[in-house]
Structure formats: structure tokens, C-alpha cells
Amino acid sequence: MTTNSQNTGNRTSIQTAEGAQSARAAQDDRSTVLVVGGTGKTGRRVADRLAARGRAVRIGSRGADVPFDWNDETTWEAALEGVGAAYLTYYPDLAFPGAVESVGAFARLAARRGVAKLVLLSGRGEEAAEAGEKAVAEAGARWTVVRCAWFNQNFSESFFLDPVRAGELALPVGDAVEPFVDADDIADVVVAALTEDGHDGEVYELTGPRLLSYADVAAELSRATGREVRFVPVSVEEYRAVLAREGLPEDFAELFSTILDGRNAHTADGVRRALGREARDFADFAREAAASGVWEV
């Protein structure tokens, strides 16, 4: 009996060890982080930071090795294979028609497939975007929302780049003010939420440290570049025509008039809450971008 009992104990120990190894293997199999929009302004930065920490990263884009397309649900399953956490960005904006439905469906699928953590990029003052936040929060996985002001990098990496180079920002914004936030701050918050404890269930509202009008932005860009950059107010109709000529979604014109109506004319403390430091100022961004040569003509 003693021998049999000892053998049974050994088998139990072996089975327990094997179970633990299986659990660790399963956990290892879900070590990949999916970065949807991983070639974009925030996604690229998030992917780089995760890789620097030794995390396996899968870029979620139509041109990736494992393609991902918000408009093609048949690409979603493969993109989630082995994924334990995901950063979700929706192009062109979470407030655009169809975004909430797609993001909600994907979040629910991710939760069913065993994704433990979802971090969603959202926008301030956008009711449709808040519906997307709710859909992710109810999907069944742990979650964090980063609800962001307009990006500094819109002026150096996106649709405002050419106007800055040309020396004229013609926009339908009047004297509206915005606390522009830096994409590097956003990426730092996202990575913290994906890899550290203490961020589950948080909605981090991310802004820069001060309010700027677009005339103020033009003045900061002028100082940084050493040449004049002017702000010229235009109507929504005029700007819609510009977007159409450049092949950009015309809904951006309506988005300007909606979220720059004063509802977002205040700063928030999301960067400090998430990271324990202050947000980067637009002037620092402008000096660094100018030094990189991005605005040279």
C-alpha cells in the first residue's frame, strides 16, 4: 500500500507539473499583442514600444502578413490567432458611420477567442465614439479606453502636413481652441494599459497641457520653422471641397464643426493619471518636428 500510495502521489505530481506546463504553454501561445492600425500615428509607436519590451507584435492592417480589414470580417479570425491583448484603432474615425458596429463585433469575437485585454483609441466629445467605448467595455474582456484630443502629429504626419509646408492652414474652425495631445504620450499610455496592472476599466482622457487656437498653432509652427505659417478660416463647404479634391473623407469637415464647438475646450489629466508625469507641450513637439526636417520645402 505504501508503495502504491507513493506511486500515486508521484503520478499526481507529474500530472500537476504537466498541467502547469500546459497552462504556461497556453499563456505563452497568447503572448502576441495585436495592434490594429499598426502603421498609423499611434499604432506604429505602440508597436515599436512593445517590441522594445520584447513583446510579440502582430500588425493589423490590410497589407500585413496576416491581413486585417475592418470591412472584411473574414480576416478577423486569423488576426486574433494566439493574441492575448489588442490595441484597437478605427480608420478614419470611431465616430464615422459603421464604426461602432464593427468595433463592437470585433471586440466580442476577440473576447470569445480568449483575448484578455482590449485597449481602444477614442475621441473626445464624440457621441458615436462613446457608443464604441461602451461596446468594447461590454464585450467580455478587460478593457481600457484612451479618449484623445486632436494629435500634434496631424501637422507633421497627416492631412495638415502639406498645408504647413505651404505656409497656410485653411480650416473651418474659427477661433475654436483645442488641447492638442502628442502621439508619443498616447502610445506610452496605451503600452502601460496593455502591459501593466492598474489600468483596467479606466477611461483616460488624454490632452496636452494647454489650450491652443489654430491661430496659436500657426504662430507656434512659425516660430519652430523660422518662416510664416498663416491660419486662414474657411467655411465647412469650402473645406469639404478641399477634402474631396485630396481624396479624403468629406465627413471630416462635419467632424471639425462638431467637436470644436466648445465642448472640448478644456484640458484633462489622463496622461498624469496613467503615467505619473505631465503631458508634452505643443511647442516642444513643433521644435522637434522642425529639427527633423519634415516641414522643409
Side-chain angles (χ1 to χ4, degrees):
M1 290 292 294
T2 304
T3 301
N4 288 336
S5 296
Q6 289 172 340
N7 288 339
T8 302
N10 288 339
R11 285 197 299 272
T12 302
S13 298
I14 291 169
Q15 290 167 354
T16 301
E18 288 175 345
Q21 288 173 348
S22 297
R24 284 195 295 272
Q27 186 177 22
D28 290 342
D29 287 343
R30 291 213 166 268
S31 62
T32 298
V33 180
L34 173 65
V35 180
V36 176
T39 59
K41 285 187 287 293
T42 64
R44 185 179 73 252
R45 289 170 166 84
V46 168
D48 288 347
R49 283 161 169 76
L50 289 170
R53 293 187 178 205
R55 298 295 296 268
V57 176
R58 177 173 298 147
I59 301 299
S61 70
R62 284 175 291 184
D65 293 338
V66 180
F68 176 89
D69 186 343
W70 279 117
N71 297 315
D72 183 359
E73 293 188 21
T74 65
T75 66
W76 295 1
E77 288 272 358
L80 288 168
E81 186 67 33
V83 168
Y87 174 47
L88 308 182
T89 69
Y90 188 92
Y91 181 83
D93 190 89
L94 189 56
F96 274 43
V100 172
E101 292 78 9
S102 293
V103 169
F106 181 76
R108 291 188 292 273
L109 175 63
R112 290 196 302 270
R113 290 293 305 273
V115 175
K117 181 63 185 279
L118 299 171
V119 178
L120 176 69
L121 177 70
S122 186
R124 300 174 81 218
E126 302 174 11
E127 292 179 2
E130 291 180 17
E133 297 172 10
K134 185 173 185 289
V136 169
E138 295 176 348
R142 293 165 23 235
W143 59 272
T144 304
V145 168
V146 286
R147 186 187 291 166
C148 299
W150 285 76
F151 302 169
N152 294 342
Q153 281 73 12
N154 286 341
F155 297 94
S156 61
E157 301 177 19
S158 191
F159 36 81
F160 298 152
L161 172 58
D162 288 339
V164 173
R165 286 174 172 167
E168 183 175 287
L169 289 170
L171 297 167
V173 296
D175 58 359
V177 293
E178 174 74 6
F180 297 91
V181 66
D182 199 86
D184 285 313
D185 284 343
I186 299 169
D188 286 343
V189 172
V190 169
V191 170
L194 286 169
T195 62
E196 300 172 4
D197 295 331
H199 303 285
D200 291 353
E202 293 286 353
V203 177
Y204 290 123
E205 192 166 333
L206 307 185
T207 75
R210 61 186 171 122
L211 293 169
L212 295 168
S213 69
Y214 279 78
D216 295 331
V217 166
E220 292 286 3
L221 294 172
S222 297
R223 280 190 287 271
T225 60
R227 58 183 176 78
E228 184 182 16
V229 178
R230 298 186 305 128
F231 165 62
V232 178
V234 297
S235 69
V236 171
E237 291 72 22
E238 289 171 319
Y239 193 61
R240 188 182 292 112
V242 171
L243 292 171
R245 286 198 302 271
E246 295 181 359
L248 294 169
E250 295 180 39
D251 286 345
F252 275 131
E254 300 298 335
L255 194 59
F256 269 113
S257 60
T258 298
I259 67 175
L260 293 175
D261 62 358
R263 71 183 68 186
N264 293 327
H266 59 275
T267 60
D269 64 353
V271 173
R272 187 186 318 114
R273 286 176 52 220
L275 303 176
R277 64 167 174 79
E278 296 305 312
R280 190 184 192 201
D281 189 74
F282 186 90
D284 297 325
F285 150 76
R287 283 192 295 270
E288 185 175 312
S292 76
V294 68
W295 292 317
E296 291 180 1
V297 293

